[in-house]
Amino acid sequence: MASEDLGPNGHNVPSPPGDDLFVHGCAQRDHELFDARVHSSPATESDATVTILLRRSGRFLKALFEPGSADVVSLDTARRLNPESLVRVLGSFVTGDKCDKGDIASEVATFRVANMVALSTAKADLPGSLKLHGAPSEALPPVESRAALIDERLDNRLLDGRVVATAAIFKIFSGVHELAVEYLAARGFSYIPTPAFIGYRFPEEDDDYFSLSYFDRTARLAPTGEIYLGMALSADLERVYDIHTVFRREPASDGRHLTEFTMLELVFNLQNDWTEILELADSLLVSLIRSLQEREKYNALTQFAKRLYPSAGTFKLGLNENGKLIRVKFSEAKAILRESLGCQSNDQDDLTSEEEAALGRFLSNNKSHLGPPTDVFIITHFPRHLRPCNVYPSDEGGNTTQSFDIILRGQEVVTGCRLLHSHEELRSAFAARAHPIDPDSPEWRPYMAAHEIGMPPWGGFGLGINRLVQGFLGLTDIRETVLFPRDAARLTP
């Protein structure tokens, strides 16, 4: 028996042992000790037994408080508990009912309570309309109507976070972070934090920034860390990355855009050519998706998410004969839109969100002639007028660039490119810009100086972690990937 502490109401409560006793589903001793949430109001049977449905880690158990088995104080406390109260219970599983197997919410174990303490009592009449736990006798809302609940869920985000399917999203998000760091560390990348406050701006793009008063001058919230990561290469750090919050002044509240989101950005010295960037992005995405699909802990989380999101666990990772993501040039993608999908799409125009989604649907089914069905693919060689002025031109000519996007479930999730490293070429590119940048202005001198002291050939890419998680799980709204989301319409909770 674990050591004992004096609990509330003056009676002894064993201090909690390791978390392994209940998380794995089976009793490992005659008595189990764990914390759980009260899911529904107590019920008193004719023989004075009190029954409460408890919830822990997405599984349910029927707790029995029987006169003669449960102590008097615990029995009295049980009768007065409100749903969502947090309790610590000690007792034993009924013989033959010790394990709840797999992720089947309807399999309810029966637990005979010997002792219970209310760790935290919830107030009565909490919002009760979000019946999303999948408890026995509680029907989940139809799939088509769940998206309509998102704002109500966000208004009650902490209660919503207790839903195991919701919590699984946040843990998968954390898993992407863990897996990316593991991958990059094994390849010699160093973590370099980049500033959230920046002093530079791109002319005529002020509407893209959040500006704020910074002592005696104006600062902006960083929409990318690329500028500073590039400068780090000039300090001979060679391979660097940052996983950080970035800010975009996105006016739409449409389920696709956030004003505050998380990016993985990396840059590195090139040894040969820009395809090193393409290969690294390809390898990283394949590694992340495979790990999410194949590692036991992430697969279990995906199964929990599937309670609310039927698309979870259906992601198709179709690779070509070389084990790589399918690649399509920008001009080829435009031809597919016109010739195979009947869209009117001009080669001079960037891909719209609708066109990205159409290409995503095309490549995900068996009608695609490009390879096996896949929910993720690469578009390369974007035209120069559709990329920033300092992106390296393609060796293939045709006014294209050494750049690419990765489309995941119909949304751009990665943008990458090789960037100019010659200070003369950078100066010329700044001058030729539609709205020129003065490379000698105080705000741009640090970046320009990094090139003037000898910048190596370089490039990199940015990965939107929110969109990766959204696409992998098939979520309809990107706000579901964040515990406290921020978009144009929301500043709370």
Side-chain angles (χ1 to χ4, degrees):
M1 181 66 70
S3 61
E4 294 191 341
D5 298 315
L6 193 64
N9 303 317
H11 61 286
N12 290 329
V13 180
S15 58
D19 214 25
D20 60 322
L21 282 177
F22 186 70
V23 167
H24 301 297
C26 298
Q28 297 181 16
R29 300 179 183 176
D30 290 339
H31 282 82
E32 298 278 355
L33 175 72
F34 53 86
D35 297 348
R37 289 282 175 188
V38 175
H39 185 76
S40 57
S41 300
T44 302
E45 308 294 338
S46 58
D47 62 355
T49 296
V50 177
T51 62
I52 303 177
L53 188 65
L54 298 181
R55 186 181 74 240
R56 190 179 195 279
S57 300
R59 297 183 173 96
F60 300 91
L61 62 141
K62 180 181 178 181
L64 301 179
F65 297 79
E66 299 171 326
S69 295
D71 68 80
V72 175
V73 175
S74 297
L75 196 59
D76 182 61
T77 302
R79 295 189 182 99
R80 296 181 284 107
L81 285 172
N82 293 322
E84 298 303 324
S85 295
L86 183 64
V87 297
R88 179 168 296 161
V89 293
L90 175 70
S92 58
F93 285 93
V94 174
T95 303
D97 209 2
K98 284 188 170 184
C99 299
D100 40 349
K101 302 162 187 168
D103 180 37
I104 304 175
S106 60
E107 290 187 359
V108 180
T110 302
F111 187 78
R112 182 175 286 113
V113 178
N115 181 270
M116 181 193 69
V117 171
L119 299 177
S120 181
T121 303
K123 70 176 228 180
D125 302 320
L126 294 176
S129 58
L130 299 175
K131 300 293 187 182
L132 300 176
H133 289 280
S137 76
E138 290 180 0
L140 291 171
V143 173
E144 58 273 11
S145 68
R146 291 175 197 170
L149 293 172
I150 181 63
D151 283 305
E152 186 179 357
R153 290 170 55 198
L154 294 178
D155 288 340
N156 300 281
R157 193 53 157 163
L158 300 185
L159 287 173
D160 182 54
R162 294 179 183 176
V163 175
V164 69
T166 303
I169 299 171
F170 308 142
K171 292 176 181 178
I172 288 174
F173 188 103
S174 176
V176 172
H177 186 288
E178 296 164 9
L179 293 166
V181 170
E182 175 186 303
Y183 179 95
L184 294 174
R187 287 157 181 79
F189 277 83
S190 299
Y191 167 58
I192 301 295
T194 57
F197 295 128
I198 59 172
Y200 69 85
R201 69 181 183 91
F202 288 93
E204 303 301 318
E205 295 182 9
D206 289 338
D207 288 345
D208 294 337
Y209 298 96
F210 288 105
S211 299
L212 67 160
S213 176
Y214 192 74
F215 301 102
D216 60 346
R217 54 200 180 280
T218 298
R220 298 164 190 87
L221 295 178
T224 176
E226 175 195 294
I227 295 292
Y228 290 96
L229 289 173
M231 291 164 65
L233 297 186
S234 189
D236 286 345
L237 290 172
E238 296 188 353
R239 298 167 77 81
V240 297
Y241 76 95
D242 192 7
I243 299 179
H244 59 139
T245 300
V246 295
F247 305 89
R248 305 273 172 89
R249 195 179 176 87
E250 298 282 0
S253 178
D254 56 6
R256 287 172 48 89
H257 296 92
L258 294 168
T259 55
E260 179 183 15
F261 56 98
T262 304
M263 287 280 287
L264 161 62
E265 295 185 281
L266 64 83
V267 299
F268 60 100
N269 293 7
L270 300 180
Q271 301 302 309
N272 297 298
D273 58 45
W274 80 285
T275 59
E276 297 168 47
I277 309 166
L278 189 59
E279 294 296 333
L280 183 66
D282 187 314
S283 175
L284 173 62
L285 257 292
V286 170
S287 175
L288 291 175
I289 292 168
R290 276 184 169 159
S291 294
L292 292 175
Q293 289 178 328
E294 298 172 5
R295 294 197 189 184
E296 183 178 351
K297 91 171 172 178
Y298 303 122
N299 186 262
L301 290 169
T302 299
Q303 293 307 308
F304 278 131
K306 196 166 186 174
R307 288 189 186 179
L308 287 183
Y309 309 99
S311 294
T314 66
F315 191 91
K316 296 189 285 288
L317 180 61
L319 305 177
N320 64 22
E321 62 276 8
N322 299 315
K324 305 288 186 181
L325 295 177
I326 292 170
R327 301 175 187 182
V328 185
K329 290 185 178 180
F330 180 86
S331 58
E332 295 170 341
K334 286 288 188 174
I336 290 170
L337 286 166
R338 289 190 297 267
E339 297 166 13
S340 299
L341 301 179
C343 302
Q344 294 185 355
S345 187
N346 191 308
D347 283 6
Q348 298 304 306
D349 297 331
D350 205 351
L351 293 167
T352 65
S353 58
E354 293 77 15
E355 288 174 339
E356 288 179 347
L359 289 168
R361 290 190 295 271
F362 178 73
L363 270 80
S364 70
N365 65 47
N366 293 320
K367 296 179 182 178
S368 170
H369 60 280
L370 298 172
T374 185
D375 284 319
V376 56
F377 61 94
I378 305 177
I379 300 176
T380 66
H381 296 84
F382 280 74
R384 293 187 68 175
H385 69 279
L386 298 179
R387 299 278 112 160
C389 67
N390 59 332
V391 173
Y392 221 93
S394 173
D395 293 333
E396 298 182 10
N399 203 36
T400 61
T401 57
Q402 298 181 6
S403 66
F404 63 93
D405 281 357
I406 299 181
I407 309 299
L408 188 144
R409 273 225 169 114
Q411 288 195 104
E412 173 261 314
V413 69
V414 172
T415 293
C417 62
R418 179 182 177 183
L419 292 155
L420 298 175
H421 66 279
S422 160
H423 65 90
E424 293 96 343
E425 290 179 349
L426 180 61
R427 184 176 288 270
S428 296
F430 277 3
R433 195 171 179 269
H435 302 284
I437 294 173
D438 179 4
D440 297 314
S441 63
E443 60 183 316
W444 283 102
R445 277 309 302 158
Y447 186 68
M448 198 70 208
H451 291 72
E452 292 170 348
I453 63 175
M455 174 72 86
W458 70 294
F461 57 85
L463 162 64
I465 296 181
N466 301 85
R467 282 195 176 179
L468 171 58
V469 172
Q470 180 188 14
F472 177 73
L473 294 175
L475 309 179
T476 57
D477 196 310
I478 197 168
R479 292 177 295 176
E480 295 186 81
T481 66
V482 192
L483 182 57
F484 303 115
R486 293 291 179 265
D487 68 356
R490 182 168 290 275
L491 201 56
T492 59

